[in-house]
Each structure stands twice: as structure tokens, then as C-alpha cells.
Amino acid sequence: MADRWLIYGATGYTGQLVARLAVARGERPILAGRRGPAVAALAADLGLDHRVVDLADPAALRAALADVAVVAHCAGPFVDTSAPMVDACLATGTHYVDITGELDVFEALYARHDEAVAAGIVLLPGAGFDVVPTDCLAALLAASLPGAVSLELAFRAGGGMSPGTARTGLYVTAAGGRRRTGGVLRSTPFGVPSRIVAFPSGPRRVGAVPWGDLVSAYRSTGIGDITVYTSLPVRGRLGRLQAAATARLLRYAVPRALAARLIRRRVTGPSPQTRAATSIEVWGEVRTAGGETRSATLTGPNAYDLTADALLRAVARLRTGTVPPGAHTPSTALGADFVRELDGVSLSLPA
Ligand SMILES: NC(=O)c1ccc[n+]([C@@H]2O[C@H](COP(=O)([O-])OP(=O)(O)OC[C@H]3O[C@@H](n4cnc5c(N)ncnc54)[C@H](OP(=O)(O)O)[C@@H]3O)[C@@H](O)[C@H]2O)c1
């Protein structure tokens, strides 16, 4: 198979970032998406080949991937888009990497591990800010404290959201809060539990969120108790009641579609200036049953810049053919130290 690779959803906010960074690094991906004029215009601007194909047309999708070694899937919400792309990749022997943060999508892709092995391909969801830094930190911490039974992760990401992240957030909010206890995913009120975390920038109150690491870090570390936190606007009993009411409303298709339309009109994503001025920070801690702990922190550039960089580096590794076939987390596919390769990332690990 030719060593070509393809960005699907190339015209989106993140897809464009990935395409432009790839070109700046001397790469020549094929750009793809479902809207012909937009894909063609971007490809002309960047001097790249393009393909127009709808995910709802399986035969056309397989034809578009026939000579492609790796797909970098950037079209989300992935709950709507990942399954048809994975089906096509399994049929054409194309490695699949995406930037989902949706825990149901991680579960669905890990459930296809045996199919991926049989097809000789890698399925790698979550190769962006969600979940590369947290997954690698989790794996490094777990390795530093064998026998750890609990894992807590917390993150902060400045600079605001892109349109697709905001739309994906509607699904995440509708599903309600989650954490993992005793190896099982359980529902919890959004933002509960809550605690103070010592980020590099100082202590901050954070609340639990239904993040992809609840699935991916479980696969990477085998630790059965996992909570993921972030800074939330939700505060106190009233805030939690409002969050619960919003979640209930967003379970219905009509309010969700109205909210998505509003997002399409209003959310443009962080400008280059905002991205350059903002950053991420991550904290993690593992604990044994006896109460011994190890904690670590990580800082890095804006989440969208980190996503584009991480995705490109993941694609490069998949193109070498050295990642064993199957469904992976970032750390199982690329190694826990992969995060150290990313531009502008620095770690503070226990000695
Ligand atoms: N892991 C991370 O940290 C991370 C970082 C950034 C983004 N993300 C995720 O990546 C996704 C994209 O975010 P974004 O802000 O870049 O989105 P965006 O600007 O709204 O662009 C979405 C792209 O996906 C395409 N698309 C959406 N649904 C599609 C479908 N059913 N079939 C074909 N194409 C479809 C869109 O094409 P049309 O224009 O034709 O609709 C567009 O090209 C979101 O799910 C977001 O949460 C994750």
C-alpha cells in the first residue's frame, strides 16, 4: 500500500489546524470531507490532493481509503462519525487515529480490538489533548507505584472551545456525570465529587467530569477507581441542580439541535493570538490501598495546538508500521513517554 495518509474533517476548526501544521512540517496529506467546495478550496490553498466522500456512503468511503495507510479522523462529534470510518478502515487495512474525548466512543473502539488485530490495523482514539497528556501521565504514575488502586486526574485548558468541542459537549453533558469505582463506570452528579488540586499555577477547586480517561486510563493502567476532574462553573447545590436540569433537557433531540445551531452561529474557536497566549495544565495522583501516593504535573501549550502536534506525531508513528495491531490508548500505542516528545510540554514527575 502507498504510504499516503488522509485527514477526514479537514475543513473543521481542528482539521484545518492539523492540515496547516502538516504542510508546515513538509507533509502532504490528502484532505477529505463531505462538502466538496470547502474541501477543494482548502486543498487548493494548501496545494494538496483532496477527496470528497460522505460517511453515509460505505462503498465510496472504502474507495477513498483504498490507497491510504493512515486516516487522521477529525470530524466529530465522534459518536456520529467514528463507526463508519472504522468499518471502512477494517475493510481497507488502513490504520485509524482520531481526536475523540467521548467515553462511549473509546468503549466502542476498544470493543473492536479483535477485529483490528485480524485486519492488521491500529485503532487509536483520543490522540489529541483528550487524552494524550492525561493518559501518558496516568501510565507513568502507575508504573511509578505498582499496586496502585486509585487514580485521580485533573486538567485545565485555557483559551475557549472550538465549534465541534462545544457541540460534542452537548452529548457529554446530556449523558451526565460519571466516575469509575471497582472497575465499573457509575453515574454521579455532574461536578461530584469535588476537591482542591495542586496545579503548577496553584491550588484550584475542581469537580468530576465524564472524561474519556475513565475508559482509556482503565485500559492503560488497569486501575479500577478513576476520577477525572476539571475546573467547573458549577458551584454549590444550586449549580448542581442547574447542571442536572440542563443535562435532562439535552437528552431530547430538539433542544440539542437548537443548541447545536446556536453553537454553529456563535462559536468560532480560539484565534491564533488566543491560542498563543493560553496553555494547559494537568495533575495526576495514584494511591495504593495502604495510602501511599505518587503525584505528578504537566504543563503545555494551548489544547488545540497540542492536539494538532500530538495527532501528527501519532500519524508518523503509525506510518512506521511499528505499533502492534489492535485497539490502543495513546500510551499503549506510542509509549507513556510519547507526551515528552510534544512541543512545549514539560513534566514534573516523582523521583
Ligand atoms: N481530543 C481533543 O482534545 C480534541 C481537540 C479538538 C477537537 N476535538 C474534537 O474534534 C471534533 C471536531 O472539532 P472541531 O471544533 O474541529 O469541529 P468543527 O470545526 O465543527 O468541524 C467539524 C468537522 O467535522 C465534519 N463533520 C461533522 N460531522 C460530520 C459527519 N457526520 N460526516 C462528515 N463530516 C462531518 C464537519 O464537516 P461539515 O462542515 O461538512 O459539517 C467539519 O469538517 C469534535 O468532536 C471535538 O470535540 C477533540
Side-chain angles (χ1 to χ4, degrees):
M1 173 180 292
D3 184 33
R4 305 209 67 188
W5 68 281
L6 178 147
I7 304 172
Y8 191 85
T11 57
Y13 177 88
T14 313
Q16 284 203 41
L17 277 187
V18 175
R20 292 184 191 282
L21 186 61
V23 169
R25 290 181 178 177
E27 306 225 25
R28 302 201 47 77
I30 302 164
L31 305 187
R34 64 181 167 180
R35 282 191 301 121
V39 181
L42 181 65
D45 185 29
L46 295 178
L48 297 173
D49 292 345
H50 73 277
R51 289 175 189 176
V52 180
V53 57
D54 201 302
L55 295 176
D57 185 343
L61 196 53
R62 286 196 301 272
L65 298 188
D67 61 347
V68 169
V70 183
V71 164
H73 195 14
C74 296
F78 289 91
V79 65
D80 296 330
T81 63
S82 68
M85 186 62 86
V86 169
D87 289 343
C89 286
L90 287 165
T92 55
T94 302
H95 298 307
Y96 169 101
V97 53
D98 75 22
I99 52 169
T100 188
E102 299 149 72
L103 48 89
D104 295 344
V105 175
F106 285 102
E107 287 206 311
L109 264 69
Y110 297 157
R112 305 191 78 172
H113 174 80
D114 291 346
E115 286 176 79
V117 171
I121 66 162
V122 174
L123 298 178
L124 176 51
F129 170 63
D130 304 332
V131 291
V132 168
T134 39
D135 185 61
C136 291
L137 204 66
L140 290 166
L141 281 167
S144 77
L145 188 61
V149 295
S150 124
L151 166 69
E152 291 179 287
L153 294 164
F155 66 89
R156 300 181 70 241
M161 281 189 238
S162 68
T165 305
R167 277 204 319 282
T168 304
L170 298 175
Y171 287 95
V172 173
T173 308
R178 307 265 187 89
R179 66 191 301 210
R180 187 177 287 277
T181 56
V184 178
L185 276 178
R186 300 180 202 274
S187 293
T188 165
F190 214 79
V192 177
S194 154
R195 59 163 291 169
I196 306 279
V197 156
F199 285 109
S201 64
R204 314 263 179 181
R205 177 158 292 281
V206 289
V209 284
W211 231 241
D213 302 275
L214 296 173
V215 179
S216 53
Y218 184 50
R219 189 172 183 87
S220 302
T221 67
I223 294 175
D225 287 0
I226 304 177
T227 310
V228 186
Y229 305 89
T230 193
S231 300
L232 289 173
V234 176
R235 286 276 191 281
R237 203 172 121 70
L238 184 62
R240 285 200 296 278
L241 286 173
Q242 279 169 345
T246 309
R248 269 198 301 278
L249 194 64
L250 289 174
R251 272 173 215 147
Y252 297 98
V254 172
R256 211 169 50 232
L258 285 174
R261 197 182 307 161
L262 207 64
I263 288 168
R264 266 197 204 91
R265 280 207 209 115
R266 299 255 172 95
V267 181
T268 53
S271 67
Q273 295 77 7
T274 300
R275 288 202 313 274
T278 49
S279 58
I280 57 117
E281 49 185 357
V282 176
W283 166 94
E285 188 169 274
V286 283
R287 182 180 297 269
T288 63
E292 195 182 346
T293 63
R294 296 278 187 285
S295 58
T297 59
L298 173 159
T299 56
N302 176 273
Y304 292 94
D305 289 328
L306 188 147
T307 294
D309 181 33
L311 183 60
L312 285 184
R313 291 177 194 272
V315 167
R317 288 282 285 279
L318 293 184
R319 286 169 77 198
T320 64
T322 53
V323 178
H328 282 276
T329 71
S331 68
T332 67
L334 312 167
D337 283 325
F338 175 66
V339 71
R340 297 179 196 268
E341 297 173 21
L342 304 185
D343 289 347
V345 166
S346 102
L347 270 85
S348 165
L349 277 169

